[in-house]
Amino acid sequence: MTTHGDPASHSGTPAVAARTGPRDAPADPSASPGAESLAAALEALRAAIGAARFPLALPSAEPARRDAAALTDQLDDYLLPRLSRLDAPLLVVVGGSTGAGKSTLVNSLVKARVSAAGVLRPTTRSPVLVCSPPDTSWFRQGELLPGLTRSNEPSEDPRTLQIVTAPALPAGLAFLDAPDIDSVVDANRALAGQLLAAADLWLFVTTAARYADAVPWELLRSARARGTVIAMVLDRVPPEAADEVSAHLSEMLAEQGLDQAPLFVLPETRVDGQGLLPERVTTPLADWFTRLAADTNARAAVVRQTLDGALAALHPTVEGLAAAAEEQLTTVDALDERVRAAYRGAHRTVEQGLSDGRLLRGEVLARWQEFVGTGEFFRTLEARIGQLRDRMVAALTGRPAPAAGLRSAIESQLVTLLRGVAAEATEQAYTGWKAHPAGAGLLDPALARPGEDLPARAERLVRDWQRGVLELVRTQGSDKRFVARTAAYAVNATGLTVMIAVFASTAFIPTGLEVATGAGTTVAAQAVLQAIFGDQAVRTLAAKARTDLLDRVRTLLDDEAGRYLTRSATARLDTETVGALRAAADRVETARRRTGLTTGGPTG
């Protein structure tokens, strides 16, 4: 076997440990000032991450969900338990590609067949943790990797952690044989990543045939970014290709900023009857770990380097989560605005319908003409305004008029308008959401149509408004002097005339559309009311009736929009989530710097 890397890896304290901090770095957690505040900051960060959700179908959502889950796992599995016990045994996670020989290597290093090598690929089984008998309690109590069930036996459940003791393994050191990082089984790959994130030191195993594969290098770059201590094993190398392959791998490591990682090259060889590699092959690597286990300060330095690197990597990752959360918020706002814009447009259409005379066409106009007189009446209205007052007084004092037909026509016309604008707004809102991937994910087929009870609610709205107009006339006209003002027929007739006035013009000034509809219509409405109340009363009644109608319409349309907004509300983050994420990450970074993990003491 040949070893490449820092010459210090051949003898004495392993270089990987010696480079991480001073020899007298304390192992006791109490020797790290600020450890309690750092732990509290990490707990706050965990809570902030747990509050963040990414339900909308955005490109950033799935990566954010993965990052949030990975951060939560790392906090629970490694950062919090390791910070509480810096002097706990060093955990070496052995990771690598399918068929790289990880289990065989672990068995050979501890001189016992503790981890079954997978003959069939992919192999789904529980990960195996091998430790010295004195260290068993630390790993069994479940502070590290608390989400895995402890067991003494192998299992096909990947969420079970089999714990095995090996007397040949020195105290202070443990090996964890992880699943294949490139397994075709999703659960295996996910677990491998989770276990690697809980490592104090990665022992990365690859082969002469697969060392250039993309998946291992992606994980190695991730480990480098987190400051994790790494050692490499190049396994199954043909003797004639050892120099060439190891030199090429060293170049690749240097290109990725990993040239300081020790590289151990294991030649292609046969295993013995127990499935173990010959000692002559594993001795240099075993000796390297033995020296590491024997040196308390070296182990502490490795732990502190990896811990500090993982903590330092939190801030940029959390910033990414905050940015993704912001995008969720702005997207919900944008989707809501599409809905509100559609229903605002519907409300404007109703406002225009009350101003441009369109509601006075057809049945309403015909019933109004019947109510106040014949078509001849309109042609002679301006010359006979005095006669109009006399006729209305006569009508109000007892002569019945076709009020029921007019009231029904008004109701029908308004209901038709409301159903039309609601249907148009629904179509616009549905189309607006469907055009956005995040909106499309929130849609339900029922949202393509107005609410099933819209027709009934529209009819009830108009009837309630009509009753409100009559009540308005009754209260506003109670102190006016006109003939038979207490008669129910007088109130009804006047109320219907107010409704027509609302339909005709808000200011009682005929417009071009109103003239086209029938110029006499507006003038008739105005003249009738002026004959009873006078000009100012006319304006006041019509303005109040119009405002009341539009308020009721707004409530109806808001209810319709609410069918969409209720769905988007389920995807809306608390507005404080983004700020909480960033504040928690800042707090962790400040506490990390003050704790001074890699310097052996606090800063600032």
Side-chain angles (χ1 to χ4, degrees):
M1 172 186 138
T2 57
T3 304
H4 296 261
D6 194 304
S9 62
H10 290 282
S11 62
T13 302
V16 68
R19 287 193 300 271
T20 61
R23 298 284 296 166
D24 59 351
D28 190 322
S30 63
S32 297
E36 288 188 9
S37 64
L38 178 54
L42 289 174
E43 292 285 4
L45 176 61
R46 192 196 184 289
I49 294 172
R53 298 179 302 111
F54 310 92
L56 296 180
L58 298 172
S60 62
E62 183 56 33
R65 284 192 286 267
R66 288 197 303 267
D67 287 347
L71 284 179
T72 300
D73 285 342
Q74 190 177 31
L75 285 164
D76 292 344
D77 294 345
Y78 180 68
L79 291 175
L80 287 167
R82 173 51 83 184
L83 185 63
S84 70
R85 281 287 307 275
L86 294 178
D87 61 341
L90 184 75
L91 180 62
V92 179
V93 175
V94 183
S97 305
T98 302
K102 301 184 300 298
S103 298
T104 299
L105 180 60
V106 169
N107 292 339
S108 301
L109 289 173
V110 302
K111 301 179 182 180
R113 193 178 177 83
V114 294
S115 183
V119 178
L120 299 177
R121 301 292 177 180
T123 300
T124 302
R125 57 180 175 82
S126 58
V128 179
L129 188 147
V130 192
C131 62
S132 174
D135 294 334
T136 306
S137 60
W138 162 246
F139 294 107
R140 284 200 181 280
Q141 66 189 1
E143 289 186 22
L144 192 75
L145 295 164
L148 301 184
T149 303
R150 270 53 176 173
S151 173
N152 293 327
E153 303 295 332
S155 169
E156 293 184 359
D157 181 3
R159 304 303 300 179
T160 297
L161 180 63
Q162 181 189 0
I163 299 178
V164 182
T165 58
L169 189 62
L173 185 68
F175 291 108
L176 198 162
D177 185 8
D180 300 331
I181 59 173
D182 57 355
S183 172
V184 296
V185 179
D186 291 343
N188 283 357
R189 290 199 311 275
L191 181 58
Q194 182 180 350
L195 296 179
L196 288 170
D200 293 312
L201 185 153
W202 280 19
L203 183 62
F204 224 84
V205 183
T206 187
T207 66
R210 304 197 60 182
Y211 69 88
D213 287 357
V215 173
W217 287 100
E218 182 179 345
L219 287 173
L220 286 168
R221 283 190 289 269
S222 173
R224 180 203 62 198
R226 291 206 301 265
T228 306
V229 176
I230 299 172
M232 294 284 295
V233 172
L234 182 61
D235 196 12
R236 300 176 183 170
V237 181
E240 66 276 10
D243 291 341
E244 179 182 354
V245 172
S246 60
H248 185 219
L249 178 54
S250 295
E251 290 176 4
M252 295 180 69
L253 288 169
E255 290 174 359
Q256 298 298 326
L258 294 167
D259 50 316
Q260 294 299 308
L263 171 60
F264 298 89
V265 180
L266 277 61
E268 195 171 39
T269 186
R270 292 180 180 275
V271 297
D272 62 17
Q274 291 186 297
L276 307 182
L277 296 170
E279 282 195 31
R280 61 178 175 80
V281 171
T282 59
T283 293
L285 181 59
D287 288 348
W288 189 80
F289 278 118
T290 299
R291 293 192 299 273
L292 181 59
D295 190 332
T296 302
N297 289 324
R299 289 203 318 273
V302 170
V303 169
R304 297 168 82 89
Q305 175 180 323
T306 297
L307 181 59
D308 186 71
L311 291 169
L314 290 176
H315 199 280
T317 306
V318 174
E319 176 57 36
L321 293 183
E326 276 185 328
E327 187 179 9
Q328 293 274 323
L329 281 170
T330 57
T331 300
V332 169
D333 288 341
L335 292 175
D336 286 354
E337 178 54 28
R338 293 186 184 194
V339 171
R340 292 191 174 99
Y343 287 94
R344 280 199 304 269
H347 193 267
R348 283 195 299 271
T349 300
V350 174
E351 284 187 290
Q352 293 168 359
L354 298 180
S355 303
D356 60 15
R358 77 180 70 174
L359 292 175
L360 290 177
R361 299 186 179 98
E363 187 71 12
V364 171
L365 180 60
R367 299 286 78 78
W368 168 246
Q369 290 174 344
E370 289 179 1
F371 183 66
V372 299
T374 65
E376 291 293 325
F377 173 78
F378 292 105
R379 287 192 293 271
T380 61
L381 178 61
E382 290 180 288
R384 301 171 58 193
I385 191 68
Q387 296 179 24
L388 169 64
R389 181 179 293 105
D390 295 338
R391 292 181 62 182
M392 285 306 303
V393 168
L396 295 175
T397 54
R399 184 164 60 87
L406 176 58
R407 184 167 180 171
S408 177
I410 291 173
E411 178 181 341
S412 177
Q413 191 82 315
L414 268 178
V415 169
T416 299
L417 175 64
L418 294 177
R419 293 182 65 175
V421 298
E424 184 177 355
T426 300
E427 181 180 0
Q428 291 177 1
Y430 191 89
T431 302
W433 272 23
K434 191 174 183 180
H436 195 296
L442 295 174
L443 282 175
D444 181 274
L447 292 176
R449 303 174 300 278
E452 292 183 0
D453 62 343
L454 175 71
R457 286 189 291 128
E459 291 173 4
R460 186 164 58 250
L461 180 155
V462 176
R463 288 195 296 270
D464 289 346
W465 173 70
Q466 287 178 328
R467 282 193 292 269
V469 171
L470 296 182
E471 182 62 24
L472 180 66
V473 169
R474 185 178 293 109
T475 57
Q476 293 292 315
S478 60
D479 60 347
K480 301 297 179 182
R481 292 176 297 175
F482 62 95
V483 179
R485 63 178 179 271
T486 58
Y489 182 75
V491 172
N492 290 337
T494 306
L496 288 170
T497 310
V498 170
M499 296 175 202
I500 290 296
V502 171
F503 277 20
S505 171
T506 59
F508 300 100
I509 300 174
T511 66
L513 283 175
E514 289 164 354
V515 171
T517 303
T521 302
T522 299
V523 178
Q526 181 179 4
V528 167
L529 291 179
Q530 285 178 338
I532 301 171
F533 293 112
D535 184 71
Q536 186 56 47
V538 169
R539 296 178 183 276
T540 300
L541 280 174
K544 288 183 178 181
R546 181 178 185 275
T547 298
D548 180 44
L549 177 58
L550 290 176
D551 286 345
R552 294 174 188 269
V553 170
R554 180 174 285 106
T555 299
L556 176 75
L557 295 175
D558 285 348
D559 288 344
E560 283 293 290
R563 298 189 307 134
Y564 285 86
L565 301 181
T566 299
R567 297 187 70 85
S568 62
T570 63
R572 181 178 291 278
L573 288 172
D574 188 300
T575 54
E576 297 180 356
T577 297
V578 174
L581 279 170
R582 291 193 167 115
D586 289 344
R587 183 180 170 190
V588 168
E589 180 62 14
T590 299
R592 179 187 76 87
R593 292 180 181 275
R594 288 176 178 171
T595 304
L597 288 169
T598 56
T599 61
T603 62

